[in-house]
Amino acid sequence: MYIRKLFIEVVVLSRTSPIGAFDSGVGGLSILSEIRRLLPVEDLIYVADSAHCPYGVKPIEDIRQRSLEVTDFLIGLGAKLIVVACNSACVAGLDQVRAKYRQIPIVGVEPAIKPAHNVTRNGKVGVLATNLTLNGERFSILVEKYATGVEVYTQPAPGLVEIVEAGAIETPETEKLLRKYLQPLLEKGIDTLVLGCTHYPFLRPVAQKICGPQVVILDTGLAVAKQTARILKLAELETNRTSAGTEMFYTTGEPNAVRSVISKLWGNSQVQVRKANV
Ligand code: DGL
């Protein structure tokens, strides 16, 4: 049992409590699947904030508010650690979520600029992300800090989040839109592509087909899963059960509609999706 005292508030976090994660929609499942792989015995709760998706085109204050409310919901369900599995939500509200919930470990995500710096051979890196992520201060700081000596070419990609939300991964229209966004980066000669939105890893096969095998495509799923495991260990919050962990999915949207996409992306036709009234 891990107990941390904050002012007059006492929060008791139990090892057997679930890990909570959220995104504007189903994109964060690209992170959750890596967490599941790395931590097979942990229970997981996921919230797809589908009623407010996409985040990337909304005012920062609105996304910040959603991030606080959804985190509150997850903590209400007993989450022992929160993964903000959305780059846009991290730009808009990670600091505020951490400040408000200091008693709970919060793990964020950011585009894989640092790994890209290590991977690129020709020093040309492309980044595909939402406008909000690319225009945020977090992103400029990341580039300034980790991309020394590397040319970073950015490309906002409106419409891709909606495509993943619809589960329309491998359609001619998806390939056409992705090609439109990747072409300018390929013309710059990039040899490394960073997927800076948690929805985009689901489009990786199409992106790889367009870019060709010589372009290395990076996302942050595994790094975030490793960080989650590290923090659980440090906080002595790893479960001590040995049976397989469970997953519980929630959406603020229409559970039946969201269930079919989650089933497809999670690769399990039996998933149940509940309504999150938040
Ligand atoms: N998955 C979110 C991200 O990583 C998508 C943002 C959106 O909803 O626009 O940024």
Side-chain angles (χ1 to χ4, degrees), residues 176-227:
K176 190 171 165 207
L177 187 61
L178 200 48
R179 195 176 287 282
K180 181 179 126 187
Y181 293 140
L182 291 174
Q183 201 54 43
L185 301 174
L186 294 172
E187 280 165 15
K188 296 286 184 193
I190 61 153
D191 71 354
T192 307
L193 175 68
V194 173
L195 302 177
C197 167
T198 56
H199 280 75
Y200 302 168
F202 293 110
L203 301 172
R204 179 196 287 264
V206 191
Q208 194 75 69
K209 180 177 154 199
I210 296 167
C211 292
Q214 72 285 358
V215 174
V216 177
I217 302 184
L218 300 174
D219 67 68
T220 39
L222 182 58
V224 175
K226 284 183 176 168
Q227 177 68 354

Side-chain angles (χ1 to χ4, degrees), residues 23-24 27 53-57 85-88 130 133 161 196-199:
D23 175 48
S24 63
C53 187
Y55 278 176
V57 295
C86 174
N87 290 270
S88 307
T130 65
T133 295
V161 166
C197 167
T198 56
H199 280 75

Side-chain angles (χ1 to χ4, degrees), residues 3-270:
I3 303 178
R4 198 180 283 176
K5 223 175 185 176
L6 181 78
F7 304 117
I8 50 162
E9 194 179 358
V10 178
V11 174
V12 180
L13 304 175
S14 153
R15 279 180 178 271
T16 50
S17 296
I19 294 171
F22 74 92
D23 175 48
S24 63
V26 294
L29 295 175
S30 67
I31 305 278
L32 201 72
S33 58
E34 296 291 349
I35 293 176
R36 167 51 71 231
R37 241 206 303 262
L38 205 63
L39 302 170
V41 292
E42 295 290 345
D43 287 343
L44 309 175
I45 305 182
Y46 183 82
V47 177
D49 194 11
S50 323
H52 301 90
C53 187
Y55 278 176
V57 295
K58 295 195 164 54
I60 281 203
E61 296 71 30
D62 293 4
I63 305 171
R64 185 173 298 152
Q65 190 53 30
R66 287 310 298 160
S67 303
L68 290 166
E69 285 167 1
V70 177
T71 301
D72 217 37
F73 177 79
L74 284 165
I75 290 173
L77 292 176
K80 62 183 172 186
L81 177 149
I82 304 292
V83 181
V84 183
C86 174
N87 290 270
S88 307
C90 286
V91 168
L94 184 63
D95 292 343
Q96 288 75 11
V97 169
R98 283 196 170 129
K100 180 163 179 198
Y101 303 101
R102 271 177 288 178
Q103 69 277 38
I104 308 260
I106 311 280
V107 176
V109 298
E110 61 187 16
I113 298 298
K114 192 179 172 191
H117 179 267
N118 299 334
V119 161
T120 180
R121 291 142 289 152
N122 70 1
K124 292 180 182 183
V125 170
V127 185
L128 216 54
T130 65
N131 262 311
L132 194 128
T133 295
L134 295 174
N135 294 333
E137 201 192 0
R138 282 185 99 86
F139 185 73
S140 349
I141 293 172
L142 202 59
V143 170
E144 210 170 296
K145 197 165 164 193
Y146 294 116
T148 12
V150 167
E151 286 297 332
V152 176
Y153 303 101
T154 59
Q155 175 66 56
L160 293 185
V161 166
E162 290 86 338
I163 280 174
V164 176
E165 288 298 311
I169 309 294
E170 284 179 5
T171 68
E173 293 74 28
T174 298
E175 185 171 338
K176 190 171 165 207
L177 187 61
L178 200 48
R179 195 176 287 282
K180 181 179 126 187
Y181 293 140
L182 291 174
Q183 201 54 43
L185 301 174
L186 294 172
E187 280 165 15
K188 296 286 184 193
I190 61 153
D191 71 354
T192 307
L193 175 68
V194 173
L195 302 177
C197 167
T198 56
H199 280 75
Y200 302 168
F202 293 110
L203 301 172
R204 179 196 287 264
V206 191
Q208 194 75 69
K209 180 177 154 199
I210 296 167
C211 292
Q214 72 285 358
V215 174
V216 177
I217 302 184
L218 300 174
D219 67 68
T220 39
L222 182 58
V224 175
K226 284 183 176 168
Q227 177 68 354
T228 302
R230 218 173 0 247
I231 288 181
L232 279 186
K233 196 173 169 102
L234 265 178
E236 298 177 1
L237 279 172
E238 302 152 295
T239 185
N240 38 23
R241 274 198 334 249
T242 49
S243 52
T246 61
E247 297 99 28
M248 214 189 270
F249 299 98
Y250 285 85
T251 178
T252 56
E254 185 43 60
N256 277 335
V258 176
R259 199 190 73 77
S260 67
V261 185
I262 292 186
S263 296
K264 184 172 178 176
L265 301 182
W266 194 253
N268 178 351
S269 58
Q270 304 303 315

